[in-house]
Amino acid sequence: TTNHLRHVESMATMPSGAGNIPHLNAIVLGEALAFEENDLIFPSDDFSRQAHVPSPGKYLEMYKRSIEDPAGFWSDIASSFYWKQKWGQQVYLENLDVRKGDIRIEWFKGGITNICYNCLDSNVEAGLGDKIALYWEGNEPGVDATLTYIQLLHNVCQLANYLKDIGVKKGDAVVVYLPMLMELPITMLACARIGAVHSVVFAGFSAESLAQRIVDCKPKVVITCNAVKRGSKVIHLKDIVDAALIESSQSGVSIDVCLTYENQLAMKKESTKWKEERDVWWQDVIPKYPTTCAVEWVDAEDPLFLLYTSGSTGKPKGVVHTTGGYMVYTATTFKYAFDYKPSDIYWCTADCGWITGHSYVTYGPLLNGASAVIFEGAPNYPNPGRCWDIVDKYQVTIFYTAPTLVRSLMRDSDEYVTRYSRKSLRVLGSVGEPINPSAWRWFFNLVGDSKCPISDTWWQTETGGFMITPLPGAWPQKPGSATFPFFGVQAVIVDEKGVEIEGECSGYLCVKSSWPGAFRTLYCDHERYETTYFKPFPGYYFSGDGCSRDKDGYHWLTGRVDDVINVSGHRIGTAEVESALVSHPQCAEAAVVGVEHEVKGQGLYAFVTLVEGVPYSEELRKSLILNVRKQIGAFAAPDKVHWAPGLPKTRSGKIMRRILRKIASRQLDELGDTSTLADPNVVDQLIALADV
Ligand code: WTA
């Protein structure tokens, strides 16, 4: 058995109720109020009794099997899905070791299926046709809509028929630039139905970022809407798409069709800029198509979607997920990590433009036949009580969000929470960055009335689904810890040399064997896939995150160890921001680091060296920030621009980011050794300009 398994075995002797642990304060759900980070919060007996995984012992039994017999464990689960044809002899095939040849991961190869069929047709056949699949809550309170499973199926089929009609075929890319309308999951499912590969671009990205993604994957069609209202702001998405399409055509990728949904509440058709030979109104064409559409059966290893994410270098990476393993993995993680039951009403606040929206707004919930809420608006509009208003309105039982949202709502009066009942809630979830214990407590005590376990799910765009997560009802929790690995996940911590370390330790978080939801490659760049993720520690998938394990075996994520920063749970590469700054004609050089931020978790702090002779000015500062907004999107705008006559560099020219981080966080007495710098005076100059 693996080290981790031995480790978990010793953990699972932990009692399933409070007490018996003299060195810790043991607290049972429902009675907590003040507790320390290291306290254990036990699920109540009532919760555990009804849970899918009611005890550490049960977790251990399942985990053990998943590690000792992955093929058996996962094929048993996969058998409950619809397969046109079963997979071949080999349930999975993997090589995670660069020393042994190309990296390769395959699950259920030879199995023929369709994820849209499993999300919709299967559930309709199982009698869920009239169950609500999606509750849509618009930006304005009182504006809402619903779709049952059968209605959703009809809508998906109409769009799928249209896409086929304009020549979209299996394997073709479709770029989607939509806000949180029901048309977004509808589009994803319609692509999946015909075997097209969707590439959803978060509708907060700029025209330039959108163009970059279009040029990379060369879609047959781009799908968008004319505008969206978020809070009191109207955002003209179609204008952004128009600009992106001009740019992409200059790079040789021209798009024949731009299907545009008229989002009437935000903007009328008449005021939308239009290009007759290219643009098509969704409402003009889609309703005319038949509401049934034959499924394109695909291999388990055929690509389902592309999703671009940030890495350490400037160019975003096109993460490729395939069909079968992703389907089985998202559905299973959803079921266990949220202890999902058919009577649940589930709400995830993530946007489908990010991986969380792919796996846990669209696919995971629908594969389970769940009723899910999707929300178009901003969580503090018209006031900071909006989320709890929505929870009460739909009687939400499972609420999944990001620490940044928790922290931003925490700043307002508790009364915005307590004026709502929230009685329906039974499980809470967190994702995107480590949740600090004080936010955890507020979420747990106030929002969940001390009775809802919090699933602090650690995972990544690359992993497809949850990797380290509490299973509510199984384990006692510690505020801020993602607890233990999900079934089938061999999470290990390695040191700088790539040697696994055991017991109480901290180091780099890696995974030792494949899991069904793993990404299979980077779009058109398998070499970068191997270099980024598998070469740093041969034999392992390297996550890019630091992690420590405490004496009880709980995992604590400590954040990225590379040049990726999590701002409000959005993943941003410092290199991307730097290249946006440097593209400004008056900027000579830039270095961006992350600093702690009260609400966003991390904020972006930019050191900027100007071209010789250019004076500092507020105007220039604004125009530099504008460059980032234009090239990436508003969410990537630096919080601070610090003028830098020079940057601290080693003699070989490498920027010493460690020093910049200390200056940015004003830990000036912790600058460390600066003698190896090419010009040590640079540091004093920077300090002198800190508040300019
Ligand atoms: C961070 C989001 C701590 C982590 C699903 C990871 C977390 C990156 C957690 C991936 C968590 C996500 N605790 N850190 N529960 N969840 N992260 O690709 O640094 O947008 O590497 O996927 O977010 O971000 P991504």
Side-chain angles (χ1 to χ4, degrees), residues 605 640 642 661-669 690-691:
Y605 192 112
K640 164 99 185 164
H642 185 138
R661 277 187 211 107
K662 295 291 177 197
I663 296 176
S665 57
R666 304 293 188 266
Q667 293 167 297
L668 300 180
D669 45 350
D691 298 309

Side-chain angles (χ1 to χ4, degrees), residues 355 432-434 456-461 545 557 560 566 571:
I355 189 69
E433 53 172 312
D456 176 3
T457 59
W458 175 80
W459 61 297
Q460 310 176 290
T461 305
D545 277 314
L557 275 301
R560 302 285 307 193
N566 293 318
R571 219 169 120 168

Side-chain angles (χ1 to χ4, degrees), residues 307-325:
L307 184 58
Y308 289 87
T309 189
S310 297
S312 312
T313 63
K315 194 175 173 250
K317 304 179 281 198
V319 167
V320 176
H321 282 286
T322 57
T323 304

Side-chain angles (χ1 to χ4, degrees), residues 29-33 47 388 391 396-397 399 406 417-418 420-429 439-454:
L29 289 189
E31 63 178 43
L33 267 178
F47 192 99
W388 324 121
V391 164
V396 171
T397 59
F399 177 69
V406 173
V417 185
T418 52
Y420 297 98
S421 142
R422 292 159 287 109
K423 261 209 169 65
S424 54
L425 290 173
R426 62 179 207 95
V427 177
L428 302 175
W440 198 100
R441 276 185 212 110
W442 185 85
F443 199 26
F444 180 81
N445 284 330
L446 196 70
V447 174
D449 271 335
S450 312
K451 67 178 177 36
C452 307
I454 297 180

Side-chain angles (χ1 to χ4, degrees), residues 177-193:
Y177 189 74
L178 280 169
M180 288 299 275
L181 302 172
M182 288 203 273
E183 283 63 29
L184 180 44
I186 288 172
T187 302
M188 295 163 77
L189 291 161
C191 291
R193 191 167 192 87

Side-chain angles (χ1 to χ4, degrees), residues 597-619:
H597 188 285
E598 202 192 326
V599 173
K600 300 180 186 177
Q602 280 185 297
L604 292 167
Y605 192 112
F607 292 89
V608 171
T609 307
L610 296 176
V611 167
E612 197 62 51
V614 174
Y616 308 136
S617 73
E618 274 322 293
E619 230 165 284

